[in-house]
């Protein structure tokens, strides 16, 4: 465990060096957040929906604040897979899945925090109907934070599954593009899942992608009752166990079939 914590700290320190990327990401996500809020305000002006506008704008800003948690990936690992240099990592006295899980967790966590902190302050200062609303209650805020942490573990497990498939195809562009599209759509980033038909939501909210941001945001806004929090957190934990087990199996299969040429 100490080795993985060391890997986490090293990746954390590396991410702190990219301050320009943080500023650029913040400006980009604020821009898209304002565009989406304006679109939803126009939609509600023409035809009000069952979900309050304040909940929709809050959903948008929380999705934008933690957008990096959804799509950031380990470019270094991708390049090692492409060139074959991942063979050097097999010499490390650690389990490869845990090694890269710790790296991507540090990258996603710090990248999200550095962008989310100023963005949430900005969204809180916006006028009513444009910005971030307060949580439904303090217990709801605590439950949403717990859900967000479990969502981080879930998305890191999904990222390692993506990398396992990349090891088989060697070219990450196809599988990465397809899985990123599924991630943004099913996690509610393109369109809040609360605006999908109820029959769709009953399925979509059970998928692992919805556990990343949609479930914590619904707890924050009060769309899901506090009494449902235990069930939501339990579902997140179940998906984490399933995806981690699947990812471990894939990585072990890939290591057995790995062929290193040259010398």
């Amino acid at each position: 465990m100490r080795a993985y914590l060391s890997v986490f700290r090293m990746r954390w320190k590396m991410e702190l060096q990219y301050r320009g990327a943080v500023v650029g990401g913040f400006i980009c996500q604020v821009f898209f957040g304002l565009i989406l809020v304006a679109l939803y305000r126009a939609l509600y002006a023409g035809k009000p929906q069952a979900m309050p506008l304040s909940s929709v704008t809050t959903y948008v800003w929380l999705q934008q604040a933690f957008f990096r948690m959804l799509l950031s990936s380990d470019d270094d690992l991708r390049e090692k897979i492409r060139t074959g240099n991942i063979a050097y990592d097999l010499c490390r006295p650690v389990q490869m899945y845990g090694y890269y899980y710790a790296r991507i967790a540090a990258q996603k966590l710090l990248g999200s925090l550095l962008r989310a902190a100023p963005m949430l302050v900005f969204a809180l200062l916006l006028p009513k109907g444009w910005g971030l609303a307060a949580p439904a209650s303090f217990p709801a805020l605590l439950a949403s934070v717990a859900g967000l942490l479990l969502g981080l573990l879930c998305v890191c497990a999904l990222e390692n599954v993506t990398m396992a498939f990349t090891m088989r195809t060697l070219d990450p562009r196809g599988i990465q593009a397809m899985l990123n599209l599924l991630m943004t759509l099913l996690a509610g980033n393109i369109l809040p899942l609360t605006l999908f038909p109820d029959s769709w939501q009953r399925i979509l909210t059970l998928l692992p992608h919805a556990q990343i941001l949609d479930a914590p945001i619904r707890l924050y806004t009060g769309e899901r009752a506090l009494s449902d929090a235990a069930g939501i957190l339990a579902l997140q934990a179940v998906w984490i166990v399933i995806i981690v087990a699947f990812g471990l199996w894939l990585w072990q299969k890939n290591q057995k079939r790995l062929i290193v040429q040259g010398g």
Side-chain angles (χ1 to χ4, degrees):
M1 182 58 69
R2 184 177 299 176
Y4 301 123
L5 290 176
S6 296
V7 171
F8 184 92
R9 286 196 297 267
M10 286 189 292
R11 186 65 185 190
W12 183 281
K13 291 178 181 178
M14 185 183 296
E15 285 296 308
L16 285 173
Q17 298 177 19
Y18 301 104
R19 297 181 180 88
V22 172
V23 175
F26 167 74
I27 295 173
C28 181
Q29 296 312 129
V30 165
F31 173 77
F32 279 106
L34 290 172
I35 294 295
L36 288 171
V37 169
L39 289 173
Y40 286 122
R41 286 177 61 85
L43 172 65
Y44 271 66
K47 184 179 180 182
Q49 306 293 318
M51 185 180 180
L53 179 61
S54 61
S55 295
V56 174
T57 58
T58 297
Y59 194 105
V60 168
W61 284 116
L62 290 175
Q63 281 275 358
Q64 293 302 312
F66 296 100
F67 178 78
R68 185 169 170 79
M69 200 169 90
L70 287 178
L71 293 187
S72 63
S73 60
D74 195 333
D75 294 333
D76 183 46
L77 173 57
R78 251 200 334 250
E79 184 64 15
K80 286 182 177 181
I81 293 172
R82 189 186 68 81
T83 61
N85 287 336
I86 193 173
Y88 294 108
D89 288 337
L90 295 176
C91 301
R92 300 180 186 274
V94 292
Q95 207 277 338
M96 280 292 94
Y97 181 91
Y99 175 80
Y100 280 106
Y101 190 98
R103 281 173 55 93
I104 195 64
Q107 179 184 359
K108 288 180 178 291
L109 178 58
L110 183 61
S112 297
L113 291 177
L114 290 176
R115 288 164 173 77
M119 193 179 304
L120 294 179
V121 171
F122 173 83
L124 283 169
L125 297 176
L126 290 175
K128 185 178 180 180
W130 280 90
L132 180 71
S137 64
F138 184 69
L141 175 62
L142 294 179
S144 65
V145 171
L148 193 62
L149 292 175
L150 288 175
L152 173 66
L153 298 179
C154 188
V155 74
C156 290
L158 285 170
E159 177 66 20
N160 268 9
V161 169
T162 301
M163 288 302 176
F165 283 123
T166 302
M167 289 182 199
R168 290 177 173 267
T169 61
L170 299 183
D171 189 338
R173 290 172 296 181
I175 188 69
Q176 194 84 42
M178 182 183 71
L179 294 179
N180 282 348
L181 176 61
L182 286 175
M183 180 75 73
T184 54
L185 178 63
L186 300 179
N189 187 264
I190 295 178
L191 181 69
L193 297 187
T194 49
L195 297 182
F196 279 82
D198 291 340
S199 57
W200 289 34
Q201 288 189 49
R202 282 193 285 270
I203 298 173
L204 294 178
T205 53
L206 295 176
L207 298 178
H209 304 84
Q211 314 313 314
I212 301 168
L213 288 179
D214 179 77
I217 292 174
R218 290 194 191 218
L219 289 171
Y220 179 95
T221 60
E223 293 295 319
R224 295 293 300 268
L226 198 57
S227 58
D228 296 335
I232 292 172
L233 299 179
L235 179 60
Q236 288 179 298
V238 168
W239 272 118
I240 292 168
V241 171
I242 292 173
I243 300 171
V244 166
F246 181 57
L248 275 169
W249 178 76
L250 281 177
W251 275 66
Q252 289 169 358
K253 292 278 288 185
N254 288 340
Q255 286 178 233
K256 289 180 181 179
R257 67 192 293 271
L258 181 65
I259 298 174
V260 180
Q261 297 181 355

